[in-house]
Amino acid sequence: MSSVPESKDELLTAINSIFAKLMDDYRVIPAELARKCEIEGNVKGTQISVCDTVAYLIGWGKLVLKWHSLKSQGLPVDFPDTGYKWSQLGLLAVSFHEQYSGWKYKDLLKELGSTINEIILLVASLSNEELYETAWYEKWTFGRMIQFNTSSPMRNMRAKVRRFNKNNRLR
């Protein structure tokens, strides 16, 4: 399998594989460390918490589901989200952190699990043609848009979470 999924099966494998590993890394972190800001943030020079990394992944996952829902109803989609331009992804990340700032760590992990599960069910319900053989947003296929916002950021966050775990002598 190439590092970039090029089919429905490869996309499902990529999401399932990184998600399982990431959840293993998250599960060793005790709740009392989950709000400790020691992870490099998406805005240059900022530090975020483990909870913020989970909120970030939930936020992007929910956007993918929102995009698909709107588009499949023939409604317009504000990419990446209403009030944000592609050049403002740092601010969008901060909005995800704020949206979930009051959540307990275990609830965030549960929400991430159900969001990723919804995405997996969505991918499974679509054909390879719908995912990879049709331009969906500008030049990008829906499969690529899903990957950009699920397996890719999960891989990126996993590296940061593993560094946090190592620095905190977890695992």
Side-chain angles (χ1 to χ4, degrees):
M1 186 173 114
S2 71
S3 61
V4 175
E6 292 174 11
S7 71
K8 173 180 174 169
D9 289 343
E10 287 181 5
L11 180 60
L12 286 169
T13 299
I15 294 170
N16 281 309
S17 150
I18 191 63
F19 180 65
K21 292 172 187 163
L22 180 62
M23 288 306 282
D24 285 345
D25 294 328
Y26 278 141
R27 284 192 190 102
V28 301
I29 300 168
E32 59 271 14
L33 290 184
R35 290 267 172 215
K36 201 171 166 186
C37 290
E38 287 184 358
I39 295 173
E40 183 190 334
N42 295 79
V43 176
K44 198 171 166 55
T46 63
Q47 296 277 298
I48 61 173
S49 70
V50 169
C51 287
D52 291 332
T53 69
V54 183
Y56 177 84
L57 295 171
I58 294 168
W60 278 108
K62 298 257 186 228
L63 275 184
V64 166
L65 295 166
K66 175 182 162 182
W67 298 337
H68 179 265
S69 172
L70 290 170
K71 248 183 126 94
S72 60
Q73 297 172 67
L75 298 169
V77 180
D78 290 332
F79 288 100
D81 198 9
T82 307
Y84 296 91
K85 294 177 176 65
W86 287 113
S87 61
Q88 299 175 303
L89 297 184
L91 292 173
L92 185 54
V94 170
S95 80
F96 296 148
H97 305 160
E98 288 169 353
Q99 187 180 346
Y100 293 98
S101 63
W103 287 48
K104 288 189 170 82
Y105 184 49
K106 70 176 186 350
D107 296 333
L108 283 169
L109 293 180
K110 220 177 278 171
E111 186 70 11
L112 178 60
S114 70
T115 302
I116 296 302
N117 198 42
E118 261 188 87
I119 289 169
I120 289 167
L121 291 171
L122 172 61
V123 171
S125 77
L126 298 170
S127 68
N128 198 65
E129 186 184 353
E130 290 169 297
L131 287 164
Y132 282 98
E133 295 166 30
T134 322
W136 191 81
Y137 169 71
E138 293 179 356
K139 65 178 180 173
W140 305 107
T141 64
F142 190 41
R144 283 289 273 164
M145 291 296 285
I146 293 170
Q147 175 242 317
F148 286 146
N149 298 296
T150 59
S151 58
S152 291
M154 281 193 274
R155 194 174 301 115
N156 182 13
M157 285 305 175
R158 182 168 187 239
K160 294 179 178 190
V161 169
R162 287 172 65 95
R163 200 170 314 125
F164 175 90
N165 287 357
K166 188 178 172 209
N167 293 343
N168 285 281
R169 294 187 177 85
L170 300 169
R171 195 183 283 264

